[in-house]
mmCIF file of all heavy atoms in Angstrom:
data_model
loop_
_atom_site.group_PDB
_atom_site.id
_atom_site.type_symbol
_atom_site.label_atom_id
_atom_site.label_comp_id
_atom_site.label_asym_id
_atom_site.label_seq_id
_atom_site.Cartn_x
_atom_site.Cartn_y
_atom_site.Cartn_z
ATOM 1 N N ARG A 44 -12.765 -15.547 18.405
ATOM 2 C CA ARG A 44 -14.122 -16.025 17.896
ATOM 3 C C ARG A 44 -13.964 -17.390 17.017
ATOM 4 O O ARG A 44 -14.901 -18.216 17.155
ATOM 5 C CB ARG A 44 -14.775 -14.978 16.960
ATOM 6 C CG ARG A 44 -15.291 -13.824 17.886
ATOM 7 C CD ARG A 44 -16.078 -12.853 17.056
ATOM 8 N NE ARG A 44 -17.297 -13.412 16.564
ATOM 9 C CZ ARG A 44 -17.559 -13.581 15.236
ATOM 10 N NH1 ARG A 44 -16.717 -13.184 14.305
ATOM 11 N NH2 ARG A 44 -18.632 -14.165 14.805
ATOM 12 N N LEU A 45 -12.973 -17.498 16.254
ATOM 13 C CA LEU A 45 -12.841 -18.537 15.320
ATOM 14 C C LEU A 45 -12.061 -19.792 15.899
ATOM 15 O O LEU A 45 -12.404 -20.922 15.681
ATOM 16 C CB LEU A 45 -12.134 -18.131 14.025
ATOM 17 C CG LEU A 45 -12.854 -17.125 13.212
ATOM 18 C CD1 LEU A 45 -11.946 -16.590 12.117
ATOM 19 C CD2 LEU A 45 -14.239 -17.660 12.681
ATOM 20 N N LEU A 46 -11.042 -19.495 16.677
ATOM 21 C CA LEU A 46 -10.107 -20.685 17.170
ATOM 22 C C LEU A 46 -10.270 -20.952 18.646
ATOM 23 O O LEU A 46 -9.878 -22.072 18.929
ATOM 24 C CB LEU A 46 -8.738 -20.320 16.794
ATOM 25 C CG LEU A 46 -8.452 -20.004 15.321
ATOM 26 C CD1 LEU A 46 -6.944 -19.637 15.116
ATOM 27 C CD2 LEU A 46 -8.740 -21.311 14.457
ATOM 28 N N GLU A 47 -10.858 -20.056 19.355
ATOM 29 C CA GLU A 47 -10.847 -20.300 20.784
ATOM 30 C C GLU A 47 -12.281 -20.358 21.366
ATOM 31 O O GLU A 47 -12.476 -20.471 22.551
ATOM 32 C CB GLU A 47 -10.149 -19.137 21.511
ATOM 33 C CG GLU A 47 -8.638 -19.065 21.108
ATOM 34 C CD GLU A 47 -7.992 -17.861 21.574
ATOM 35 O OE1 GLU A 47 -8.629 -16.851 22.111
ATOM 36 O OE2 GLU A 47 -6.781 -17.771 21.499
ATOM 37 N N ARG A 48 -13.239 -20.523 20.561
ATOM 38 C CA ARG A 48 -14.609 -20.387 20.973
ATOM 39 C C ARG A 48 -15.113 -21.595 21.801
ATOM 40 O O ARG A 48 -16.105 -21.518 22.567
ATOM 41 C CB ARG A 48 -15.617 -20.203 19.852
ATOM 42 C CG ARG A 48 -15.640 -21.356 18.857
ATOM 43 C CD ARG A 48 -16.609 -21.188 17.709
ATOM 44 N NE ARG A 48 -16.515 -22.139 16.698
ATOM 45 C CZ ARG A 48 -16.034 -22.068 15.545
ATOM 46 N NH1 ARG A 48 -15.522 -20.867 15.148
ATOM 47 N NH2 ARG A 48 -15.943 -23.044 14.643
ATOM 48 N N ASP A 49 -14.405 -22.703 21.728
ATOM 49 C CA ASP A 49 -14.745 -23.842 22.480
ATOM 50 C C ASP A 49 -14.051 -23.950 23.880
ATOM 51 O O ASP A 49 -14.241 -24.851 24.651
ATOM 52 C CB ASP A 49 -14.416 -25.153 21.708
ATOM 53 C CG ASP A 49 -15.320 -25.265 20.458
ATOM 54 O OD1 ASP A 49 -16.452 -24.774 20.536
ATOM 55 O OD2 ASP A 49 -14.905 -25.933 19.495
ATOM 56 N N GLU A 50 -13.155 -22.985 24.156
ATOM 57 C CA GLU A 50 -12.373 -22.941 25.358
ATOM 58 C C GLU A 50 -13.375 -22.398 26.507
ATOM 59 O O GLU A 50 -14.205 -21.596 26.249
ATOM 60 C CB GLU A 50 -11.112 -22.056 25.258
ATOM 61 C CG GLU A 50 -10.228 -22.484 24.236
ATOM 62 C CD GLU A 50 -9.568 -23.815 24.512
ATOM 63 O OE1 GLU A 50 -9.511 -24.262 25.556
ATOM 64 O OE2 GLU A 50 -8.954 -24.447 23.541
ATOM 65 N N THR A 51 -13.061 -22.900 27.721
ATOM 66 C CA THR A 51 -13.908 -22.453 28.873
ATOM 67 C C THR A 51 -13.802 -20.920 29.141
ATOM 68 O O THR A 51 -14.658 -20.377 29.672
ATOM 69 C CB THR A 51 -13.579 -23.240 30.141
ATOM 70 O OG1 THR A 51 -12.127 -23.130 30.315
ATOM 71 C CG2 THR A 51 -13.798 -24.717 29.880
ATOM 72 N N TRP A 52 -12.583 -20.385 28.869
ATOM 73 C CA TRP A 52 -12.350 -19.022 29.118
ATOM 74 C C TRP A 52 -12.686 -18.053 27.883
ATOM 75 O O TRP A 52 -12.377 -16.884 27.923
ATOM 76 C CB TRP A 52 -10.866 -18.837 29.458
ATOM 77 C CG TRP A 52 -9.958 -19.674 28.670
ATOM 78 C CD1 TRP A 52 -9.423 -20.884 29.068
ATOM 79 C CD2 TRP A 52 -9.455 -19.492 27.358
ATOM 80 N NE1 TRP A 52 -8.571 -21.444 28.048
ATOM 81 C CE2 TRP A 52 -8.599 -20.553 27.059
ATOM 82 C CE3 TRP A 52 -9.581 -18.446 26.418
ATOM 83 C CZ2 TRP A 52 -7.949 -20.647 25.759
ATOM 84 C CZ3 TRP A 52 -8.892 -18.466 25.232
ATOM 85 C CH2 TRP A 52 -8.060 -19.610 24.975
ATOM 86 N N HIS A 53 -13.262 -18.645 26.912
ATOM 87 C CA HIS A 53 -13.571 -17.831 25.644
ATOM 88 C C HIS A 53 -14.276 -16.543 25.882
ATOM 89 O O HIS A 53 -13.903 -15.448 25.421
ATOM 90 C CB HIS A 53 -14.317 -18.719 24.626
ATOM 91 C CG HIS A 53 -14.978 -17.893 23.526
ATOM 92 N ND1 HIS A 53 -14.225 -17.422 22.527
ATOM 93 C CD2 HIS A 53 -16.256 -17.580 23.372
ATOM 94 C CE1 HIS A 53 -15.013 -16.774 21.711
ATOM 95 N NE2 HIS A 53 -16.269 -16.908 22.145
ATOM 96 N N GLN A 54 -15.380 -16.612 26.667
ATOM 97 C CA GLN A 54 -16.224 -15.434 26.857
ATOM 98 C C GLN A 54 -15.477 -14.369 27.599
ATOM 99 O O GLN A 54 -15.524 -13.126 27.255
ATOM 100 C CB GLN A 54 -17.477 -15.759 27.649
ATOM 101 C CG GLN A 54 -18.838 -15.435 27.020
ATOM 102 C CD GLN A 54 -18.935 -14.900 25.709
ATOM 103 O OE1 GLN A 54 -18.964 -15.588 24.609
ATOM 104 N NE2 GLN A 54 -19.083 -13.576 25.579
ATOM 105 N N GLN A 55 -14.651 -14.769 28.593
ATOM 106 C CA GLN A 55 -13.876 -13.763 29.276
ATOM 107 C C GLN A 55 -12.842 -13.107 28.344
ATOM 108 O O GLN A 55 -12.664 -11.876 28.459
ATOM 109 C CB GLN A 55 -13.195 -14.401 30.598
ATOM 110 C CG GLN A 55 -12.422 -13.438 31.339
ATOM 111 C CD GLN A 55 -11.725 -14.157 32.508
ATOM 112 O OE1 GLN A 55 -11.725 -15.385 32.679
ATOM 113 N NE2 GLN A 55 -11.142 -13.398 33.425
ATOM 114 N N ARG A 56 -12.157 -13.926 27.641
ATOM 115 C CA ARG A 56 -11.137 -13.346 26.732
ATOM 116 C C ARG A 56 -11.769 -12.467 25.668
ATOM 117 O O ARG A 56 -11.282 -11.363 25.365
ATOM 118 C CB ARG A 56 -10.383 -14.530 25.990
ATOM 119 C CG ARG A 56 -9.449 -13.977 24.849
ATOM 120 C CD ARG A 56 -8.323 -14.987 24.476
ATOM 121 N NE ARG A 56 -7.757 -14.835 23.299
ATOM 122 C CZ ARG A 56 -7.016 -13.769 22.820
ATOM 123 N NH1 ARG A 56 -6.829 -12.731 23.664
ATOM 124 N NH2 ARG A 56 -6.489 -13.745 21.691
ATOM 125 N N LEU A 57 -12.952 -12.839 25.124
ATOM 126 C CA LEU A 57 -13.563 -12.110 24.056
ATOM 127 C C LEU A 57 -13.996 -10.760 24.613
ATOM 128 O O LEU A 57 -13.852 -9.623 24.047
ATOM 129 C CB LEU A 57 -14.798 -12.749 23.565
ATOM 130 C CG LEU A 57 -15.439 -12.231 22.391
ATOM 131 C CD1 LEU A 57 -14.494 -12.101 21.186
ATOM 132 C CD2 LEU A 57 -16.704 -13.055 21.989
ATOM 133 N N SER A 58 -14.464 -10.702 25.900
ATOM 134 C CA SER A 58 -14.856 -9.487 26.552
ATOM 135 C C SER A 58 -13.599 -8.505 26.693
ATOM 136 O O SER A 58 -13.713 -7.290 26.426
ATOM 137 C CB SER A 58 -15.441 -9.741 27.920
ATOM 138 O OG SER A 58 -15.772 -8.586 28.565
ATOM 139 N N ILE A 59 -12.503 -9.083 27.099
ATOM 140 C CA ILE A 59 -11.285 -8.265 27.266
ATOM 141 C C ILE A 59 -10.823 -7.715 25.919
ATOM 142 O O ILE A 59 -10.572 -6.544 25.861
ATOM 143 C CB ILE A 59 -10.192 -9.133 27.907
ATOM 144 C CG1 ILE A 59 -10.573 -9.446 29.379
ATOM 145 C CG2 ILE A 59 -8.785 -8.455 27.938
ATOM 146 C CD1 ILE A 59 -9.677 -10.450 30.070
ATOM 147 N N VAL A 60 -10.784 -8.519 24.914
ATOM 148 C CA VAL A 60 -10.351 -8.134 23.608
ATOM 149 C C VAL A 60 -11.320 -6.992 23.042
ATOM 150 O O VAL A 60 -10.898 -5.995 22.473
ATOM 151 C CB VAL A 60 -10.318 -9.285 22.685
ATOM 152 C CG1 VAL A 60 -10.065 -8.859 21.246
ATOM 153 C CG2 VAL A 60 -9.142 -10.227 23.036
ATOM 154 N N GLU A 61 -12.541 -7.161 23.220
ATOM 155 C CA GLU A 61 -13.569 -6.190 22.748
ATOM 156 C C GLU A 61 -13.406 -4.886 23.514
ATOM 157 O O GLU A 61 -13.663 -3.858 22.897
ATOM 158 C CB GLU A 61 -15.010 -6.715 22.785
ATOM 159 C CG GLU A 61 -15.207 -7.812 21.711
ATOM 160 C CD GLU A 61 -16.634 -8.286 21.661
ATOM 161 O OE1 GLU A 61 -17.476 -8.152 22.642
ATOM 162 O OE2 GLU A 61 -16.923 -9.070 20.629
ATOM 163 N N ASP A 62 -13.145 -4.939 24.777
ATOM 164 C CA ASP A 62 -12.813 -3.691 25.476
ATOM 165 C C ASP A 62 -11.612 -2.995 24.917
ATOM 166 O O ASP A 62 -11.548 -1.805 24.868
ATOM 167 C CB ASP A 62 -12.662 -4.002 27.019
ATOM 168 C CG ASP A 62 -13.998 -4.281 27.669
ATOM 169 O OD1 ASP A 62 -15.094 -3.958 27.078
ATOM 170 O OD2 ASP A 62 -13.969 -4.778 28.851
ATOM 171 N N ARG A 63 -10.595 -3.787 24.600
ATOM 172 C CA ARG A 63 -9.325 -3.216 23.996
ATOM 173 C C ARG A 63 -9.716 -2.513 22.636
ATOM 174 O O ARG A 63 -9.221 -1.369 22.386
ATOM 175 C CB ARG A 63 -8.313 -4.185 23.711
ATOM 176 C CG ARG A 63 -7.624 -4.620 25.077
ATOM 177 C CD ARG A 63 -6.486 -5.628 24.809
ATOM 178 N NE ARG A 63 -5.669 -5.451 23.667
ATOM 179 C CZ ARG A 63 -5.242 -6.476 22.915
ATOM 180 N NH1 ARG A 63 -5.691 -7.687 23.112
ATOM 181 N NH2 ARG A 63 -4.519 -6.188 21.840
ATOM 182 N N ILE A 64 -10.587 -3.138 21.886
ATOM 183 C CA ILE A 64 -11.083 -2.592 20.639
ATOM 184 C C ILE A 64 -11.758 -1.250 20.905
ATOM 185 O O ILE A 64 -11.639 -0.236 20.227
ATOM 186 C CB ILE A 64 -11.923 -3.560 19.832
ATOM 187 C CG1 ILE A 64 -11.009 -4.687 19.389
ATOM 188 C CG2 ILE A 64 -12.536 -2.927 18.574
ATOM 189 C CD1 ILE A 64 -11.790 -5.936 18.834
ATOM 190 N N ARG A 65 -12.685 -1.322 21.895
ATOM 191 C CA ARG A 65 -13.469 -0.040 22.166
ATOM 192 C C ARG A 65 -12.623 1.115 22.637
ATOM 193 O O ARG A 65 -12.846 2.223 22.238
ATOM 194 C CB ARG A 65 -14.484 -0.368 23.289
ATOM 195 C CG ARG A 65 -15.696 -1.141 22.822
ATOM 196 C CD ARG A 65 -16.704 -1.324 23.954
ATOM 197 N NE ARG A 65 -17.812 -2.149 23.395
ATOM 198 C CZ ARG A 65 -17.997 -3.452 23.673
ATOM 199 N NH1 ARG A 65 -17.026 -4.073 24.256
ATOM 200 N NH2 ARG A 65 -18.943 -4.151 23.124
ATOM 201 N N ASP A 66 -11.493 0.797 23.358
ATOM 202 C CA ASP A 66 -10.592 1.798 23.730
ATOM 203 C C ASP A 66 -9.977 2.451 22.457
ATOM 204 O O ASP A 66 -9.941 3.706 22.331
ATOM 205 C CB ASP A 66 -9.450 1.182 24.591
ATOM 206 C CG ASP A 66 -9.846 0.876 25.937
ATOM 207 O OD1 ASP A 66 -10.990 1.230 26.418
ATOM 208 O OD2 ASP A 66 -9.057 0.072 26.661
ATOM 209 N N ARG A 67 -9.481 1.628 21.529
ATOM 210 C CA ARG A 67 -8.944 2.174 20.312
ATOM 211 C C ARG A 67 -9.952 2.873 19.463
ATOM 212 O O ARG A 67 -9.743 3.993 19.009
ATOM 213 C CB ARG A 67 -8.345 1.046 19.465
ATOM 214 C CG ARG A 67 -7.291 0.225 20.043
ATOM 215 C CD ARG A 67 -6.018 1.066 20.372
ATOM 216 N NE ARG A 67 -4.910 0.207 20.824
ATOM 217 C CZ ARG A 67 -4.695 -0.318 22.070
ATOM 218 N NH1 ARG A 67 -5.666 -0.112 22.944
ATOM 219 N NH2 ARG A 67 -3.642 -0.913 22.355
ATOM 220 N N LEU A 68 -11.216 2.342 19.387
ATOM 221 C CA LEU A 68 -12.243 3.069 18.600
ATOM 222 C C LEU A 68 -12.590 4.411 19.237
ATOM 223 O O LEU A 68 -12.843 5.359 18.519
ATOM 224 C CB LEU A 68 -13.387 2.123 18.480
ATOM 225 C CG LEU A 68 -13.321 0.874 17.654
ATOM 226 C CD1 LEU A 68 -14.535 -0.001 17.642
ATOM 227 C CD2 LEU A 68 -12.944 1.208 16.216
ATOM 228 N N GLY A 69 -12.618 4.352 20.623
ATOM 229 C CA GLY A 69 -12.970 5.639 21.276
ATOM 230 C C GLY A 69 -11.933 6.729 20.948
ATOM 231 O O GLY A 69 -12.320 7.910 20.761
ATOM 232 N N GLU A 70 -10.606 6.341 20.968
ATOM 233 C CA GLU A 70 -9.593 7.257 20.709
ATOM 234 C C GLU A 70 -9.746 7.772 19.201
ATOM 235 O O GLU A 70 -9.574 8.985 18.966
ATOM 236 C CB GLU A 70 -8.229 6.646 20.956
ATOM 237 C CG GLU A 70 -7.978 6.350 22.337
ATOM 238 C CD GLU A 70 -6.760 5.393 22.569
ATOM 239 O OE1 GLU A 70 -6.177 4.946 21.601
ATOM 240 O OE2 GLU A 70 -6.446 5.209 23.778
ATOM 241 N N LEU A 71 -9.984 6.810 18.276
ATOM 242 C CA LEU A 71 -10.126 7.197 16.951
ATOM 243 C C LEU A 71 -11.306 8.046 16.708
ATOM 244 O O LEU A 71 -11.289 9.167 15.922
ATOM 245 C CB LEU A 71 -10.117 5.935 16.049
ATOM 246 C CG LEU A 71 -10.297 6.129 14.575
ATOM 247 C CD1 LEU A 71 -9.024 6.956 14.012
ATOM 248 C CD2 LEU A 71 -10.405 4.836 13.863
ATOM 249 N N SER A 72 -12.418 7.790 17.345
ATOM 250 C CA SER A 72 -13.620 8.505 17.167
ATOM 251 C C SER A 72 -13.428 9.936 17.672
ATOM 252 O O SER A 72 -13.870 10.927 17.017
ATOM 253 C CB SER A 72 -14.712 7.859 17.966
ATOM 254 O OG SER A 72 -15.882 8.615 17.933
ATOM 255 N N GLY A 73 -12.739 10.042 18.788
ATOM 256 C CA GLY A 73 -12.487 11.420 19.315
ATOM 257 C C GLY A 73 -11.564 12.144 18.484
ATOM 258 O O GLY A 73 -11.701 13.447 18.234
ATOM 259 N N ARG A 74 -10.586 11.569 17.859
ATOM 260 C CA ARG A 74 -9.660 12.282 16.902
ATOM 261 C C ARG A 74 -10.419 12.752 15.642
ATOM 262 O O ARG A 74 -10.218 13.760 15.101
ATOM 263 C CB ARG A 74 -8.471 11.339 16.569
ATOM 264 C CG ARG A 74 -7.559 11.878 15.503
ATOM 265 C CD ARG A 74 -6.919 13.214 15.783
ATOM 266 N NE ARG A 74 -6.044 13.686 14.866
ATOM 267 C CZ ARG A 74 -6.447 14.315 13.712
ATOM 268 N NH1 ARG A 74 -7.650 14.538 13.428
ATOM 269 N NH2 ARG A 74 -5.497 14.762 12.839
ATOM 270 N N LEU A 75 -11.271 11.792 15.045
ATOM 271 C CA LEU A 75 -11.917 12.090 13.931
ATOM 272 C C LEU A 75 -12.909 13.138 14.089
ATOM 273 O O LEU A 75 -13.126 14.105 13.237
ATOM 274 C CB LEU A 75 -12.599 10.841 13.286
ATOM 275 C CG LEU A 75 -13.366 11.054 12.004
ATOM 276 C CD1 LEU A 75 -12.437 11.489 10.933
ATOM 277 C CD2 LEU A 75 -14.113 9.760 11.673
ATOM 278 N N GLY A 76 -13.676 13.117 15.213
ATOM 279 C CA GLY A 76 -14.696 14.107 15.473
ATOM 280 C C GLY A 76 -15.750 14.080 14.305
ATOM 281 O O GLY A 76 -16.197 13.106 13.927
#
Side-chain angles (χ1 to χ4, degrees):
R44 290 186 63 242
L45 297 172
L46 302 177
E47 301 169 347
R48 66 178 173 252
D49 295 332
E50 302 293 342
T51 57
W52 39 263
H53 166 72
Q54 238 2 85
Q55 182 179 8
R56 172 158 159 65
L57 189 60
S58 177
I59 291 168
V60 170
E61 288 182 348
D62 285 345
R63 285 179 42 221
I64 294 170
R65 284 185 184 95
D66 288 345
R67 300 297 188 280
L68 292 176
E70 292 166 356
L71 181 63
S72 175
R74 171 59 179 84
L75 181 64

